[in-house]
Amino acid sequence: MQKNSPFITLVTPDAPIAVQTHGGRAKCLQRLFRLDLPVPTTVALSFDAVHRLASGDMPDIPRLIEPFGDDQLLCVRPSSEDPDWGGPRAILNIGINHDRHAALIGSIGKEAADEIYLRFIQAYSEHVARLDPDMFDDIDLSGPDALRAALEVYEDEAEEPFPQDMATQLGGVLRSMARAWEGTSARLLRMAKGAPADAGLGLVVQAMVFGLGRGESGSGVLQLVDGDTGMPVIKGRYLTQSQGREALEAGAKSLFLTCDSRGPSLEEAQPEAFANLISHAQLMRQKLREEMQMEFTVQDGEVYILDGVRIQRSARAAVRIAVALAEEGIISHEEALMRVEPRALNELLHRQVNPNAKRDVIGAGVAASPGAASGRIVFTEAAAQASAARGEACILVRRQTSPEDVRGMHAAAAVLTERGGVTSHAAVIARGLGLPCVVGASSLRFQTKQRLLTARDGRVFREGDILTIDGTNGEVLSGEPEMLEATLDGAFKQLMIWADETRDIGVRANADTPADAKTARNFKAQGIGLCRTEHMFFEEDRLTVMREMIFADDPEDRRAALERLLPIQRADFVELFKIMGGKPVCIRLFDPPLHEFLPSNRTGMRDLAEALDLPLSDVERRIEALSEYNPMLGMRGVRLGITVPEIYDMQARAIFEATLDASKDGAPVVPEIMIPLVSAKREVELVKKRIDAVAAAVRTERGEAFSFRLGVMVETPRAALRAEDIAPHCDFFSFGTNDLTQMTYGLSRDDAGRFMSAYVQQGVYPEDPFHTLDAEGVGELLELGATRGRAAQPNLTLSVCGEHGGSPESIAFCRKVGMDYVSCSPFRVPVARLAAAQLTIQDKIG
Ligand code: PEP
Ligand code: MG
């Protein structure tokens, strides 16, 4: 062959072939040549050549076919940069004509020669001449006259005889494949799979090995692992007298590869060919450093490798494969870490709808918490609890959730709401509990009072009907499709160990309850970065005392109620400290507006009046007095701490007493106390003074020493701006990016779901800023707060504890601005650990 050109390259071990110029398939074939595997002669056409071809500039065909020798039939396959972007289908048997057909009859027999010619006529008619594929419907394709009849039909339809010239046939095939790639629908399809608009296509032209004819001939595919489980197993099929991937077609009389009680196998029929195939596949795995599916042909007992493609795999298989390759020393630990998409771990951490199951989608919303669960729908928190008491899985359906629904959420298998976005109450709690959750599903009609849910297509679902919530992709399904269980196997654990050895930013969990803390420990969080203490007050026994405290007329009565809450809080903290075994626990002082603890309906108010022995009108008046126009910007967080200081006093005492109790027979505890919603230095000064006083009192009373760290939750823009004033009073800052995003945009976290998709679709926001940290705006405040805070207090520990803490893009940002750790829902901890490790590796490789 003449020297390689930029357009036409003979694939040899050292030819200039790259994925970026010739595509993945051409590159893979070159690697197979380097391994000295029996690959038929192959020529690669570059992206440039194919692009020119599409606009009519035909490559030099005589030069292209020169390496194959006379009379060699060819096949052409697509070679895009990423095999997942697809491409036109392969065309086989190019070059067959009357003369070659006659010659083939002599070498491989009439039946096989007819079959080859027939197949090419069909493929050429459909893909090159663009004739109606139905035109062969009236021909008995297995009859003795099929070939003659097909040639006649072609001539009738195309109004010319079937082309006999190899150059015409090959040119036609190449042009049709190039044009198919450049067509609008193909472009849109691959762009949907992540391809750039101008993604190139290469083509590989290969000598045909027939898989048909005398002696044992056929074709098949083989791989060494299962793509669903990642477990080692020889998988694939072989079909005698076949080409391409026909062995995989439904109904084909294919053989198993290994001995199998269900039927005959290649191993038994052709032991030598089988042994060769296995050794080739093992060599490919070893040297290509990947699990590949091998496409092979057997011709007269001889094995040929036509192609190798990276096997498609589920997330759980991706983890097992990466870890197995690394454990065998085929790839490094770092490469194994880079091969798993962090978000894909969600598939392992939660039950999922089996991807092969039939999905009856009745509506969709925001995918707020991953995993899937089925159950009977209920519309109230009480019905959810009753359902749990009966041992029946239920789906809690609400317009939106409030703290009153938390117990119902605990009882439910999944949650569905009409309103809300990724940081709405339902979403945050569900993620913490590891419950599948879809929020903002406004395409469904919610009539919660009538206990009805109406689907887009008009189907009505009533209390007790079974639905499935798929929180991984935000879909609501009718019925109970088959599920795949969560799998935290040894491979997952190993990958996580390597991630921890690699990463350079800490990962803690947001955990409010002992159950959350246990999950956090299980997922190897390095501590609790945010314990939202208010969630502890929603248990039935505490709620009443809490309400008494809220209704207290004077500080004395309030103190009395708080004294009853103190031992309960102390016990909560002792348990948390013990579970965390000396790892840091950051406790946020009380944050929400008080009215969230009061009943919102008349029955609840009557119950409360009874419990407090007050007239109903008093209760109503009190609730009315506590209501606010804009509670998220009202009397909450540190504002409560300043105006009703007894609450924080009680919490500080509970924390300190628990510190001493838990340290007695466990690892020493150094609690972290965090003040929420700070916007001014004076707030910190006032709260700090009281907390220091409580600490001094507890030390004196107990005659024991302890230390603690005090910090501020930076979640108002002003706190970030005035970080330099605030930091000298603090040991740490934790950025609450949920509220910070809400306040920076002036965007309600509970209502944004209604218009967020329109905003993202129209490019107003590139992403939902509650989901992906807005690096430009909110990020600037973060950076500014971090820099100014550290300027005033160099030892300041910095972290993010908003929901963004678990998103890989946000972790990249946090790392860049020098945060010490991120804290996220326990179930997102593994995702964060892997994402953080990948960032360190990326920095290392540049
Ligand atoms: C925040 O605002 O980012 C935060 C973590 O607190 P919460 O979600 O409880 O308001
Ligand atoms: Mg907040």
Side-chain angles (χ1 to χ4, degrees):
M1 189 189 185
Q2 303 158 33
K3 228 169 119 5
N4 288 319
S5 81
F7 306 119
I8 301 172
T9 310
L10 177 67
V11 183
T12 58
D14 47 11
I17 287 174
V19 174
Q20 298 76 10
T21 52
H22 293 81
R25 176 168 271 136
K27 187 69 208 173
C28 176
L29 285 166
Q30 180 177 48
R31 292 189 175 127
L32 301 187
F33 277 111
R34 285 182 186 154
L35 299 180
D36 224 4
L37 288 172
V39 182
T41 305
T42 306
V43 168
L45 289 186
S46 66
F47 292 174
D48 274 352
V50 176
H51 188 60
R52 292 160 67 115
L53 223 166
S55 42
D57 195 353
M58 193 52 80
D60 183 348
I61 298 281
R63 178 178 180 163
L64 173 56
I65 54 183
E66 192 195 321
F68 298 104
D70 293 341
D71 297 339
Q72 175 63 60
L73 300 197
L74 304 175
C75 68
V76 181
R77 292 194 177 83
S79 177
S80 55
E81 202 171 325
D82 180 332
D84 291 344
W85 298 346
R89 47 176 294 174
I91 296 191
L92 314 183
N93 306 314
I94 304 159
I96 184 83
N97 56 18
H98 300 339
D99 291 347
R100 286 193 184 117
H101 172 248
L104 278 178
I105 293 177
S107 58
I108 62 171
K110 178 167 180 339
E111 205 181 320
D114 279 8
E115 184 74 30
I116 286 169
Y117 204 174
L118 250 180
R119 285 175 192 219
F120 183 60
I121 295 168
Q122 284 175 289
Y124 191 89
S125 304
E126 184 178 346
H127 301 290
V128 183
R130 301 267 160 204
L131 301 176
D132 185 348
D134 296 348
M135 71 191 209
F136 299 110
D137 279 2
D138 296 333
I139 302 176
D140 171 10
L141 290 171
S142 53
D145 255 0
L147 180 57
R148 192 186 45 76
L151 285 164
E152 278 173 17
V153 172
Y154 180 89
E155 192 162 343
D156 277 356
E157 290 290 324
E159 296 176 1
E160 60 182 23
F162 191 75
Q164 295 293 301
D165 171 38
M166 158 71 107
T168 308
Q169 291 181 2
L170 181 60
V173 167
L174 294 174
R175 188 174 46 238
S176 74
M177 290 173 88
R179 291 198 170 151
W181 178 258
E182 306 249 328
T184 309
S185 55
R187 193 173 60 246
L188 292 177
L189 201 67
R190 63 179 176 265
M191 282 169 73
K193 293 176 185 163
D198 61 349
L201 176 74
L203 292 172
V204 294
V205 182
Q206 198 172 54
M208 266 315 284
V209 185
F210 295 125
L212 302 169
R214 300 196 178 112
E216 179 52 48
S217 301
S219 61
V221 296
L222 180 151
Q223 63 191 50
L224 301 174
V225 292
D226 182 308
D228 288 330
T229 65
M231 295 304 265
V233 55
I234 296 170
K235 269 194 87 161
R237 284 284 191 280
Y238 171 77
L239 182 60
T240 191
Q241 300 298 321
S242 78
Q243 296 190 317
R245 300 173 77 84
E246 286 167 11
L248 296 177
E249 281 168 14
K253 293 198 170 64
S254 308
L255 305 190
F256 294 100
L257 295 181
T258 48
C259 297
D260 196 303
S261 56
R262 291 168 294 172
S265 70
L266 183 65
E267 188 173 13
E268 291 151 302
Q270 295 288 318
E272 201 178 319
F274 175 78
N276 282 339
L277 282 170
I278 296 297
S279 89
H280 295 334
Q282 282 164 343
L283 183 68
M284 272 168 79
R285 176 175 185 270
Q286 184 82 30
K287 298 293 182 190
L288 302 191
R289 305 159 67 248
E290 182 50 290
E291 291 292 355
M292 307 290 287
Q293 187 184 65
M294 185 168 92
E295 196 174 304
F296 65 91
T297 293
V298 177
Q299 186 67 37
D300 206 3
E302 192 93 9
V303 166
Y304 295 87
I305 312 294
L306 306 188
D307 201 2
V309 284
R310 184 182 170 275
I311 65 159
Q312 297 284 340
R313 62 201 71 186
S314 68
R316 60 191 74 199
V319 171
R320 277 206 188 120
I321 290 171
V323 170
L325 289 173
E327 282 179 332
E328 289 171 50
I330 296 173
I331 60 173
S332 65
H333 294 176
E334 294 190 341
E335 197 162 354
L337 288 164
M338 294 305 283
R339 286 190 183 189
V340 178
E341 161 63 31
R343 283 199 177 87
L345 292 183
N346 282 322
E347 212 182 280
L348 282 80
L349 300 171
H350 304 274
R351 294 177 88 206
Q352 303 287 341
V353 176
N354 186 329
N356 303 321
K358 214 168 150 268
R359 302 170 75 91
D360 180 5
V361 180
I362 63 159
V366 177
S369 176
S374 308
R376 296 184 185 281
I377 52 174
V378 293
F379 292 85
T380 62
E381 175 267 335
Q385 292 199 62
S387 183
R390 292 194 300 274
E392 227 173 65
C394 70
I395 310 288
L396 180 61
V397 179
R398 305 284 292 149
R399 282 187 180 283
Q400 64 191 57
T401 63
S402 69
E404 280 181 319
D405 293 306
V406 170
R407 274 174 301 147
M409 293 178 76
H410 272 276
V415 178
L416 170 66
T417 71
E418 181 187 32
R419 299 172 61 183
V422 282
T423 58
S424 60
H425 179 267
V428 171
I429 302 290
R431 275 198 294 277
L433 296 174
L435 277 187
C437 176
V438 172
V439 299
S442 49
S443 62
L444 289 159
R445 181 156 177 234
F446 287 65
Q447 292 165 286
T448 46
K449 281 218 174 75
Q450 288 98 314
R451 304 185 179 206
L452 296 177
L453 186 68
T454 309
R456 289 188 287 220
D457 60 8
R459 273 185 285 173
V460 177
F461 296 86
R462 295 164 206 285
E463 188 148 85
D465 287 347
I466 293 185
L467 291 186
T468 295
I469 300 300
D470 187 339
T472 304
N473 62 14
E475 286 182 350
V476 183
L477 317 176
S478 168
E480 258 175 308
E482 196 195 320
M483 298 277 180
L484 285 183
E485 292 305 321
T487 40
L488 300 184
D489 55 13
F492 167 82
K493 289 187 182 129
Q494 185 58 66
L495 192 77
M496 287 294 115
I497 290 173
W498 294 335
D500 292 343
E501 286 166 0
T502 309
R503 68 189 160 86
D504 54 14
I505 183 167
V507 179
R508 292 198 197 176
N510 296 349
D512 309 333
T513 62
D516 290 349
K518 280 180 194 146
T519 315
R521 269 305 288 262
N522 263 345
F523 289 147
K524 302 269 187 303
Q526 289 162 284
I528 294 180
L530 171 64
C531 169
R532 294 172 163 104
T533 46
E534 56 272 16
H535 293 155
M536 296 170 163
F537 295 110
F538 281 101
E539 298 289 322
E540 196 66 54
D541 55 331
R542 302 151 184 226
L543 194 57
T544 315
V545 189
M546 189 69 191
R547 287 171 171 171
E548 273 178 41
M549 190 276 291
I550 296 169
F551 272 73
D553 281 328
D554 53 50
E556 256 335 289
D557 286 356
R558 185 168 303 127
R559 206 163 284 128
L562 285 164
E563 253 163 41
R564 288 169 60 204
L565 287 172
L566 174 71
I568 305 177
Q569 272 267 270
R570 188 174 53 222
D572 289 336
F573 295 140
V574 169
E575 206 176 345
L576 278 191
F577 292 150
K578 284 194 168 158
I579 293 169
M580 295 313 291
K583 291 195 188 315
V585 176
C586 180
I587 297 167
R588 179 179 74 183
L589 298 174
F590 196 86
D591 182 43
L594 291 179
H595 76 85
E596 284 193 4
F597 292 87
L598 299 176
S600 51
N601 58 31
R602 227 177 143 70
T603 325
M605 290 188 208
R606 199 170 309 114
D607 289 349
L608 181 58
E610 232 164 47
L612 301 180
D613 195 18
L614 287 173
L616 180 61
S617 57
D618 266 22
V619 171
E620 283 173 339
R621 206 172 323 110
R622 207 52 201 265
I623 291 176
E624 173 71 27
L626 278 169
S627 82
E628 294 174 295
Y629 283 108
N630 204 340
M632 288 310 275
L633 299 179
M635 176 79 146
R636 55 169 285 218
V638 69
R639 296 161 200 168
L640 266 175
I642 303 278
T643 48
V644 193
E646 299 86 355
I647 302 177
Y648 281 10
D649 288 352
M650 180 279 286
Q651 289 198 296
R653 176 171 280 275
I655 293 169
F656 297 141
E657 291 179 356
T659 298
L660 291 173
D661 292 351
S663 302
K664 230 178 251 147
D665 43 27
V669 176
V670 179
E672 297 176 353
I673 300 181
M674 180 152 75
I675 315 171
L677 215 78
V678 164
S679 59
K681 168 181 78 161
R682 185 75 185 134
E683 289 168 331
V684 187
E685 285 171 353
L686 290 173
V687 173
K688 180 171 169 21
K689 198 162 156 218
R690 288 189 76 113
I691 289 180
D692 284 342
V694 175
V698 174
R699 283 188 191 111
T700 313
E701 287 160 28
R702 303 276 288 252
E704 288 172 83
F706 61 86
S707 53
F708 69 97
R709 304 178 79 221
L710 185 75
V712 152
M713 193 157 178
V714 178
E715 51 184 345
T716 66
R718 195 177 189 282
L721 293 168
R722 303 307 302 167
E724 216 158 336
D725 299 343
I726 296 171
H729 306 283
C730 301
D731 297 306
F732 62 88
F733 275 179
S734 190
F735 291 86
T737 48
N738 302 335
D739 271 311
L740 195 57
T741 301
Q742 168 164 269
M743 296 199 209
T744 305
Y745 278 87
L747 188 65
S748 158
R749 26 194 293 207
D750 295 299
D751 301 309
R754 282 194 185 184
F755 54 85
M756 191 53 77
S757 58
Y759 256 52
V760 173
Q761 263 165 24
Q762 294 180 46
V764 184
Y765 301 156
E767 301 277 354
D768 177 347
F770 289 110
H771 195 236
T772 304
L773 185 76
D774 159 44
E776 288 173 356
V778 179
E780 189 172 351
L781 280 171
L782 238 62
E783 198 167 359
L784 210 135
T787 317
R788 292 186 182 173
R790 281 235 171 102
Q793 165 72 284
N795 294 328
L796 197 67
T797 302
L798 295 175
S799 62
V800 160
C801 64
E803 285 305 308
H804 300 94
S807 107
E809 299 76 16
S810 314
I811 297 170
F813 183 86
C814 293
R815 208 174 146 261
K816 204 175 84 205
V817 299
M819 301 271 170
D820 295 289
Y821 70 87
V822 293
S823 188
C824 54
S825 309
F827 282 93
R828 299 178 91 189
V829 165
V831 176
R833 287 160 66 199
L834 179 57
Q838 291 189 348
L839 291 164
T840 312
I841 298 169
Q842 261 157 20
D843 265 7
K844 227 164 93 177
I845 56 186

